[in-house]
Amino acid sequence: MKNSLGKSIIFLLLITALYAQNDFTHKFTLSNTNPYLKEAITLKLDIEQTDNSKVMLFKFDLKKSKKYKFWRIDTKTKDAYHALKVSYTYLIYPLQEGAIELEFTLLQMLTTDDKVAFSFSGDRDNTRGLNKTDIPISLSPLTLDVKAIPKETDIVGDFALLTDIKKYSAEPYEPLPLQITITGEGYPPYLASIVPSSSNYSLFTEAPIAKSINSSQGTQNSFIYPLALSAKESFDLEPITLRAFNPKTQKPYQLQLPKQHFTILKPNIQELVNSTDNPKPLVSDWSWLGSLLGYISIFIAGFLSAKVIEWRKKETEPTTQKDSLEEEIKNTKDPKKLLALLLSSNQEVYKERIEHLEKRLYR
C-alpha cells in the first residue's frame, strides 16, 4: 500500500512538471562554455509563455556555489495578454578549474485575471498577496569546462598599475604616503598585500577603496590601495611585480612598480649642540637670604609692639576701674545701694565696710 502511494505521488509530480513545461519554452545561451579560470562569461535565459489561456509569472535565479560567482545584470519583461516573455542576463566568473555545473532555480506561478486584478498594484513582479499556484520547475544544469591559468597569477583581466608617491624624504619615523591603483577590466583585483614587509621599514596598510561596475561585457574595476612607510634610516623599496593573465589574448603579462629610494633626514649635530646655554646654568645667589632676614625682623618688631601695647593696657585698666569705683562709692548716699555696689565690686578691701553696713541695715 505504501509503495503504491509513493509511486502515485512521484507519478503526479512528473506529470505536473511535464505539464508545466508544456505551458512555456525556455532557452539558455552561454557566451563561452570553455572559459579560463576567473574569465567573465554571460548567461542568458529566455522564457516564453505558450499557453495563452493562463496568467503566468516566473521567478528564476542561479544557485549559490563556491565554484562560481555571479551577478544578475539585466531582466527584461514583455507582457502581452497571456503571452509573457522574460529574459534574464547574468555575469558569471568560474572559480575552479575543470568541469563545474551551473545550477538553477525556477518557479512558475499560475493565477487568473480576477486574482491579478484584485491583488496587483504596480508592475508584474509585485506578487505579494497574490493568490496563486507555485510550481517548482526542474532545470538541467549547464556544464563549464574551465581552463587553468599560469600558476601564481595575481590578477586575471586587462589591467594597468598606477602609483602615487607624495614625497621621497621625511624625518625619522615620519610616515611616507604611498598609493597604488589597479584599474581595468576583469575579475575584481582583491589582493591581500602588494608591498612586502621588510625589516628596513614599517608598513601601514588600509582596506582598498574598491569600485566595480558589472555589465554584459565584463567588470570595470578601480582599486586604490593606500599605504604608508616609515623608517629610522634611508631605505630602498625593492621592485614590485604583479603577475597577471589576460583571457582575451590568452597571454600572461606583468605589472611593475620600479625600485624606489626614500631618504630619511638626519638632524644637524651643530644645530643641536651650540655655545648658548639654554636653560642657563645654576648660579649661587644669596640675595634672597637678606630679603628673608628683613621680613623676619619686620615680623618680630610688629609682634613685640603688639605685646607692649597689650601689657600697658592691662596695667592701666585696674587703676582706671578702681578710681571709677571709688568715685561712685563716694557719690552713693543710699545705704542699700552702697551695700549692693560694694558687694558687686568683689574686692577684699571693702569687707569691713560691707559688714558694717549689714549690721546697720539688718540688725
Side-chain angles (χ1 to χ4, degrees):
M1 181 68 179
K2 291 183 179 180
N3 292 334
S4 299
L5 180 60
K7 292 179 180 179
S8 298
I9 293 174
I10 294 173
F11 179 71
L12 288 174
L13 290 175
L14 289 174
I15 291 177
T16 302
L18 292 173
Y19 176 75
Q21 293 196 33
N22 289 331
D23 293 344
F24 66 93
T25 61
H26 72 279
K27 178 183 178 182
F28 281 108
T29 303
L30 271 173
S31 62
N32 188 357
T33 59
N34 187 214
Y36 282 98
L37 181 71
K38 294 184 178 180
E39 179 182 1
I41 61 173
T42 56
L43 168 70
K44 187 177 180 181
L45 172 63
D46 294 306
I47 299 176
E48 183 176 356
Q49 180 179 349
T50 56
D51 186 349
N52 303 119
S53 64
K54 303 174 183 178
V55 177
M56 294 185 189
L57 302 169
F58 296 95
K59 187 176 182 180
F60 171 79
D61 206 354
L62 271 77
K63 290 183 179 180
K64 293 183 179 180
S65 173
K66 295 182 179 179
K67 299 178 182 180
Y68 53 85
K69 198 168 186 178
F70 65 89
W71 291 270
R72 182 188 289 183
I73 57 177
D74 193 18
T75 303
K76 293 180 180 179
T77 302
K78 185 178 179 181
D79 190 5
Y81 182 72
H82 292 190
L84 177 65
K85 293 182 180 180
V86 186
S87 178
Y88 301 93
T89 304
Y90 284 80
L91 180 68
I92 303 174
Y93 285 96
L95 302 180
Q96 287 186 7
E97 299 174 1
I100 64 173
E101 290 185 342
L102 304 178
E103 298 182 304
F104 316 102
T105 61
L106 177 61
L107 186 66
Q108 181 189 22
M109 296 168 281
L110 301 179
T111 185
T112 64
D113 292 319
D114 293 337
K115 293 176 181 179
V116 171
F118 179 79
S119 302
F120 270 103
S121 59
D123 58 50
R124 196 61 184 264
D125 290 330
N126 182 10
T127 59
R128 182 180 299 177
L130 176 64
N131 189 356
K132 54 188 173 53
T133 301
D134 295 342
I135 304 175
I137 305 299
S138 178
L139 297 178
S140 300
L142 298 180
T143 302
L144 299 178
D145 186 13
V146 183
K147 295 182 289 188
I149 59 176
K151 293 183 178 180
E152 299 182 351
T153 298
D154 298 310
I155 54 179
V156 178
D158 186 9
F159 292 101
L161 180 66
L162 304 174
T163 58
D164 183 11
I165 301 176
K166 303 296 183 182
K167 56 183 181 179
Y168 289 87
S169 61
E171 300 292 335
Y173 302 111
E174 179 185 355
L176 289 160
L178 172 64
Q179 183 172 287
I180 298 177
T181 303
I182 301 175
T183 60
E185 181 183 308
Y187 188 76
Y190 286 101
L191 298 175
S193 64
I194 297 180
V195 176
S197 301
S198 173
S199 58
N200 297 328
Y201 52 79
S202 296
L203 174 63
F204 304 93
T205 62
E206 294 182 11
I209 304 171
K211 183 178 180 181
S212 298
I213 301 176
N214 297 313
S215 68
S216 58
Q217 285 72 42
T219 304
Q220 291 293 332
N221 301 280
S222 174
F223 276 60
I224 301 174
Y225 289 84
L227 311 166
L229 306 171
S230 70
K232 181 181 179 181
E233 299 178 346
S234 300
F235 65 94
D236 290 329
L237 179 62
E238 298 301 325
I240 296 174
T241 301
L242 296 180
R243 296 172 293 271
F245 179 78
N246 189 343
K248 292 183 178 180
T249 61
Q250 302 183 15
K251 294 181 179 179
Y253 63 100
Q254 293 183 343
L255 300 176
Q256 290 186 332
L257 172 64
K259 182 178 180 179
Q260 306 290 329
H261 178 74
F262 295 92
T263 302
I264 303 301
L265 304 175
K266 292 185 177 181
N268 191 340
I269 303 300
Q270 297 299 326
E271 293 180 357
L272 296 178
V273 181
N274 52 49
S275 59
T276 303
D277 291 331
N278 189 17
K280 294 182 179 181
L282 183 63
V283 178
S284 299
D285 184 5
W286 296 98
S287 60
W288 60 273
L289 184 59
S291 300
L292 178 61
L293 294 176
Y295 296 143
I296 294 175
S297 300
I298 294 172
F299 173 78
I300 294 175
F303 178 78
L304 293 178
S305 298
K307 287 295 183 182
V308 170
I309 294 173
E310 184 179 355
W311 292 336
R312 288 182 178 180
K313 185 177 180 180
K314 288 182 179 180
E315 290 177 357
T316 56
E317 280 181 356
T319 303
T320 303
Q321 292 177 359
K322 185 176 181 180
D323 293 342
S324 175
L325 181 61
E326 290 290 343
E327 185 68 25
E328 190 173 359
I329 290 173
K330 289 180 181 181
N331 295 329
T332 303
K333 304 302 182 181
D334 187 351
K336 291 184 178 181
K337 292 183 178 180
L338 179 58
L339 178 60
L341 182 61
L342 293 176
L343 289 172
S344 65
S345 67
N346 197 24
Q347 295 188 23
E348 190 68 24
V349 293
Y350 301 120
K351 182 178 181 182
E352 293 182 1
R353 296 184 184 184
I354 292 171
E355 291 177 354
H356 179 71
L357 283 173
E358 287 179 343
K359 289 179 181 180
R360 181 179 176 183
L361 292 172
Y362 303 111
R363 297 181 186 178

